[in-house]
Amino acid sequence: MPDVLIIDDDEQICKFLSTIFMGMGVNTAYQLTLQKGLATLFTSPVDIVFLDVNLPDGNGLEAIHIIKQHPVPPEIIIITGDENVDGAELAIRSKAWDYISKKGSYKTFKFSLDRALEYRRQKQSKLPEKAIKREAIVGESRLLSICLDKVSKAANTDFPVLITGETGTGKEIFSRAIHENSRRKHHEFVVVDCASLPEHLVESTLFGHAKGAFTGADSDKTGLMKMADKGTLFLDEVGELPLEVQKKFLRALQEKKFRPVGGKIEVTSDFRVICATHRDLEEMVKQKRFRQDLFFRLFSMHIHLPPLKDREGDITLLARHQLDHAPDRSEGNDCTMSPEFLTELRTYEWPGNVRELVNTIDLVCSEAGGDTTLFPHHLPEHIRAFNIRNKIKAYKKEQPRPIDSHKAPEQSQGIQTLKDHIERTKSDYMQNLVSITQGNVKDACRVSGLSRGHFYRLLQQYGIKPF
Amino acid sequence: MKKLLVFIHQTAGEKGKRFLSIIQDRIINATIETFHTLEAFEIKLKQKNPYFDQQILVLFVDTQVRLDQFYLKKEIFLDKKIVMVLPDKTAETISKVHRFFPRYFTFIEDGYEDICDVLNKMITH
């Protein structure tokens, strides 16, 4: 179903048009300010935008060029209550689809929308689908496929891309995939790690500097932006870019030229920018720690990488892939994963995401030595401990509380004494611990934090026979 | 605690010694382990440890030949945090260095103030 966005400060008009368009089977949303409208547009792409000219926070006609920067720009239909020949001409010259008066009949809106949708359908049917090279990206989950589709789209354009996601989700690998599948693949992929650069080095590292620009500038230095000429500039942790540099960077991004620190001559560079961050840039914009204009520019295409725990099925595929490629297993030394081992992998939450899983498999391989089947005991202790804790919690939730022989009869009649309550809880805990760890004393002690002696004393105290 | 794995080839001579001495003086809150042969360095990088995010590789590339040697082994550097000191500013060197996706790089002739600042920031980040 096509999507329409109306940006108009007159809510009555918005509601009126929404009703008409929904009746045509079109998803319709509206925003009452230009800023909110643009934010919606760049967050969830739409097919058609109905854009008012006079908005409380800006002029719709001037926003056309911003909307046109979207990687898959919508068709724009300008609506105005104050027709003006110059405005109409400007709209059409800016490649708006249509310019219509709010005073006109609702049929005018329907007709214009109908024609714009028809044009859009024809245009989209011509877009070629392109398979991408994705050697380093393993997985078949639905969430990953959505990201790969976006990689493909991004590779076919030159627009800035913003990649977000938790640490270890593969932001840099996805950036490289975009570069490797783009027309720029034969040129450099230049990394700028904004989080690693001290503030006083950011500007000269990005833009370069001229000899004598500051103390210690003994020779000219070429900046990374120039090195990325015809290639891709990857700004990792872009949220760390100092505010003063953001302004200069935005200009360089728009004009593809900049002046090195202390330099007299402007340098040109035709680079494509991809940024990554684990921060919430929208929130940073609100807090005025990140420039809004730069945010909109970078947000042209957005790829959010899901955490590994949400990528159903991919944990097994990634583990298998890494096992096949682990350095210690490269000499025909086949190794299989037991079902219990895979269950442990799938149960763990992987806070370090793909990077943690890959490293864990490498670690397991190196620890496994000549073992040909991997079992849970091959996994690092912190993973097993985490899983066992979760299992105990889940088990405790599911199980009805057992009635133990040592309990006082008055317990069943109402509230028990604190001492009894503690004793009962301890007894339940010990029974669950023994059950979950299947009587393995070492595991039980590690999970519970009890010493071996204390563990045995408690078993005796509550009359629990573990084995 | 973060760990710097510093590679300075045994034939790097005075340049290498000076670099190591500056690193040892200026870097705080990190342990430093040095390697003088590529073989020893490769063995270290292939050793797995659960603290995979704690290592920063510092490669002192004293010659173009050394850069080529690293290039032949580039798979062992994949997805590692790398900082490099390069022998020269030729287009060939610059082109090769980007294949390692380094977090930062500088040149022997430019001195080591900046690289120490970068390393200290990486350590505290």
Side-chain angles (χ1 to χ4, degrees), chain B residues 4 9 26 29 92 96 109-110 119:
Chain B
L4 297 192
H9 196 264
R26 291 276 319 272
N29 294 327
E92 194 186 347
K96 280 179 192 159
E109 67 179 68
D110 284 351
L119 286 170

Side-chain angles (χ1 to χ4, degrees), chain B residues 22-90:
Chain B
I22 291 171
I23 289 282
Q24 285 168 336
D25 282 352
R26 291 276 319 272
I27 299 302
I28 42 176
N29 294 327
T31 55
I32 299 174
E33 195 174 346
T34 51
F35 300 86
H36 301 293
T37 66
L38 194 51
E39 292 72 27
F41 197 44
E42 189 175 354
I43 289 168
K44 177 69 185 180
L45 294 185
K46 282 185 174 173
Q47 281 173 5
K48 301 299 170 187
N49 70 79
Y51 310 106
F52 55 95
D53 260 355
Q54 302 298 311
Q55 290 179 345
I56 301 166
L57 276 50
V58 183
L59 309 183
F60 185 82
V61 189
D62 54 325
T63 61
Q64 274 274 0
V65 174
R66 197 81 59 228
L67 189 58
D68 290 338
Q69 288 172 343
F70 281 135
Y71 191 68
L72 289 172
K73 300 266 181 194
K74 68 178 187 305
E75 75 281 1
I76 63 172
F77 300 115
L78 266 182
D79 298 321
K80 303 267 193 312
K81 288 180 185 166
I82 300 174
V83 167
M84 299 172 90
V85 181
L86 301 174
D88 56 65
K89 297 179 179 176
T90 59

Side-chain angles (χ1 to χ4, degrees), chain A residues 298-399:
Chain A
L298 298 180
F299 213 72
S300 302
M301 284 205 90
H302 178 212
I303 302 176
H304 180 72
L305 302 180
L308 180 58
K309 66 177 174 357
D310 294 347
R311 287 170 51 183
E312 210 173 312
D314 284 352
I315 292 176
T316 307
L317 291 174
L318 275 158
R320 181 75 258 168
H321 178 269
Q322 193 59 25
L323 196 60
D324 292 343
H325 292 84
D328 296 344
R329 297 274 161 188
S330 56
E331 291 159 14
N333 200 355
D334 282 343
C335 190
T336 56
M337 294 181 281
S338 65
E340 308 91 283
F341 180 85
L342 284 170
T343 303
E344 292 287 326
L345 292 186
R346 286 192 293 261
T347 307
Y348 187 55
E349 289 192 350
W350 302 107
N353 292 295
V354 179
R355 192 185 294 145
E356 186 184 5
L357 173 64
V358 163
N359 194 72
T360 300
I361 298 297
D362 284 354
L363 189 65
V364 163
C365 282
S366 107
E367 298 283 315
D371 297 351
T372 52
T373 305
L374 297 178
F375 291 101
H377 80 266
H378 286 108
L379 282 166
E381 282 195 0
H382 71 276
I383 292 179
R384 298 186 65 202
F386 177 92
N387 285 349
I388 284 179
R389 272 177 207 278
N390 273 1
K391 274 183 208 162
I392 289 176
K393 277 184 201 163
Y395 181 83
K396 285 181 86 169
K397 272 185 193 166
E398 285 167 13
Q399 294 301 311

Side-chain angles (χ1 to χ4, degrees), chain A residues 100-265:
Chain A
I100 50 185
S101 167
K102 290 184 197 175
K103 294 169 193 162
S105 155
Y106 75 94
K107 285 180 185 165
T108 318
F109 288 94
K110 279 181 80 169
F111 180 75
S112 189
L113 176 60
D114 218 22
R115 302 308 293 152
L117 286 173
E118 178 58 28
Y119 168 73
R120 189 136 179 107
R121 268 191 290 273
Q122 286 180 14
K123 196 164 79 171
Q124 283 180 339
S125 66
K126 286 180 194 162
L127 283 176
E129 283 193 15
K130 191 182 164 193
I132 57 160
K133 288 189 284 178
R134 46 170 281 191
E135 289 93 351
I137 303 170
V138 177
E140 290 172 358
S141 62
R142 191 183 59 82
L143 290 177
L144 185 72
S145 300
I146 292 170
C147 293
L148 288 170
D149 283 347
K150 289 184 178 178
V151 166
S152 175
K153 278 182 187 152
N156 284 318
T157 72
D158 242 359
F159 291 101
V161 182
L162 178 66
I163 302 181
T164 55
E166 290 175 8
T167 183
T169 46
K171 295 185 284 291
E172 186 164 341
I173 290 170
F174 273 77
S175 307
R176 295 210 290 260
I178 294 172
H179 173 77
E180 287 303 323
N181 286 283
S182 75
R183 66 178 179 87
R184 296 172 178 269
K185 65 182 173 190
H186 298 299
H187 298 278
E188 307 301 353
F189 178 87
V190 176
V191 177
V192 186
D193 185 357
C194 302
S196 295
L197 292 173
E199 208 158 325
H200 67 278
L201 283 181
V202 178
E203 201 173 343
S204 68
T205 302
L206 263 179
F207 302 98
H209 62 70
K211 184 179 175 180
F214 48 83
T215 311
D218 300 328
S219 59
D220 288 349
K221 180 181 175 181
T222 307
L224 293 176
M225 270 169 31
K226 180 63 187 169
M227 288 182 194
D229 193 14
K230 299 186 179 65
T232 301
L233 185 75
F234 173 59
L235 265 73
D236 199 6
E237 295 303 348
V238 68
E240 310 298 319
L241 210 57
L243 270 170
E244 314 82 74
V245 180
Q246 288 176 25
K247 187 179 177 185
K248 191 171 174 182
F249 179 69
L250 175 65
R251 185 180 163 257
L253 197 56
Q254 286 168 333
E255 298 176 13
K256 302 292 180 198
K257 58 185 178 188
F258 53 90
R259 199 185 299 273
V261 180
K264 288 177 183 160
I265 301 166

